[in-house]
Amino acid sequence: QAGLTQPPSVSKGLRQTATLTCAGSSSNVGDQGAAWLQQHQGHPPKLLSYRNNGRPSGISERFSASRSGDTASLTITGLQPEDEGDYYCSAWDSSLSVWVFGGGTKLTVL
Amino acid sequence: QVQLVQSGAEVKKPGASVKVSCKASGYSFSSHFMHWVRQAPGQGLEWMGIINPSGGSPIYAQKFQGRVTMTSDKSTSTLYMEMSGLTSDDTAVFYCAREAGSFDSWGQGTLVTVSS
């Protein structure tokens, strides 16, 4: 089953802005958007953004999600050391009737 | 608050089966579907399937069809994921995650190690 495409790694400096991308298709990201999850080593993932780009309670305004066509993006402003980790996108694929994940992006804050 | 508490780590021999539990609390158990997600060591997240705790047939990822069974027990607000025919490639952390928009709450994970 086809997944979503994310760059394997992104590196940015402290207090800079990082934009992570997630490329899908018209049957998944393009249809109902993508959710974004953050995972730190040894911990379960944490939801950062719903598929409608809304933020769950308690998630910093520094995290904002958007979508253009079949590609979803997560922008993180004012990068902090604790933002380092793995970021995954996920979407419901309406033609396959399955959920799909991206391969994840490892964010390094320099 | 929402809590998903999973069963402890397991060590299994190749060919064996494993059953992982996920006990939910802090919300109406029947109101939200539940995902199961696998993560092999050093790898990404892999969606295994989704179950409606109220009943109905789970939806499984094609890769796990015929080898994974997801069930729920409303009396104890507990979900189960059983995988059979384990191989070393199944060594992974298994997570349950609530579907309330998108994977909004996660269990702590259960490490399953398959080794002879």
Side-chain angles (χ1 to χ4, degrees):
Chain A
Q1 287 155 343
L4 308 175
T5 301
Q6 299 182 250
S9 63
V10 168
S11 297
K12 287 289 185 179
L14 194 62
R15 293 182 295 278
Q16 288 190 331
T17 295
T19 298
L20 312 183
T21 59
C22 169
S25 70
S26 59
S27 64
N28 44 59
V29 176
D31 184 15
Q32 297 184 24
W36 287 92
L37 303 150
Q38 176 195 60
Q39 186 179 33
H40 291 127
Q41 181 74 23
H43 292 272
K46 179 172 76 172
L47 182 67
L48 296 177
S49 174
Y50 292 101
R51 283 180 291 159
N52 64 3
N53 299 329
R55 268 189 307 273
S57 174
I59 299 301
S60 170
E61 292 180 353
R62 297 189 299 108
F63 295 91
S64 63
S66 61
R67 175 171 60 120
S68 177
D70 298 341
T71 298
S73 299
L74 177 73
T75 298
I76 311 169
T77 58
L79 282 169
Q80 300 297 308
E82 60 266 28
D83 296 332
E84 276 204 347
D86 297 316
Y87 290 78
Y88 296 92
C89 58
S90 180
W92 169 254
D93 192 301
S94 53
S95 66
L96 298 175
S97 294
V98 296
W99 281 86
V100 289
F101 282 105
T105 295
K106 184 175 186 60
L107 175 65
T108 301
V109 179
L110 303 171
Chain B
Q1 75 282 18
V2 176
Q3 275 200 308
L4 302 174
V5 179
Q6 299 185 221
S7 48
E10 303 258 16
V11 179
K12 295 292 183 181
K13 292 194 181 304
S17 297
V18 69
K19 192 169 187 176
V20 178
S21 68
C22 169
K23 183 170 177 58
S25 62
Y27 71 99
S28 175
F29 177 72
S30 298
S31 297
H32 296 282
F33 285 42
M34 193 72 73
H35 300 272
W36 286 92
V37 177
R38 183 172 80 170
Q39 187 170 37
Q43 302 299 309
L45 303 173
E46 183 174 31
W47 185 76
M48 300 178 66
I50 189 168
I51 181 171
N52 179 354
S54 294
S57 297
I59 298 174
Y60 300 110
Q62 187 176 14
K63 179 175 184 176
F64 298 103
Q65 285 271 7
R67 206 159 70 90
V68 166
T69 303
M70 297 176 187
T71 55
S72 70
D73 182 344
K74 287 188 285 185
S75 69
T76 59
S77 298
T78 302
L79 296 109
Y80 299 92
M81 186 284 299
E82 184 169 21
M83 179 180 282
S84 61
L86 293 169
T87 72
S88 57
D89 289 342
D90 294 316
T91 292
V93 175
F94 292 81
Y95 294 103
C96 58
R98 192 179 76 156
E99 171 55 37
S102 315
F103 303 97
D104 77 326
S105 299
W106 292 69
Q108 84 275 22
T110 297
L111 174 62
V112 175
T113 302
V114 183
S115 173
S116 54

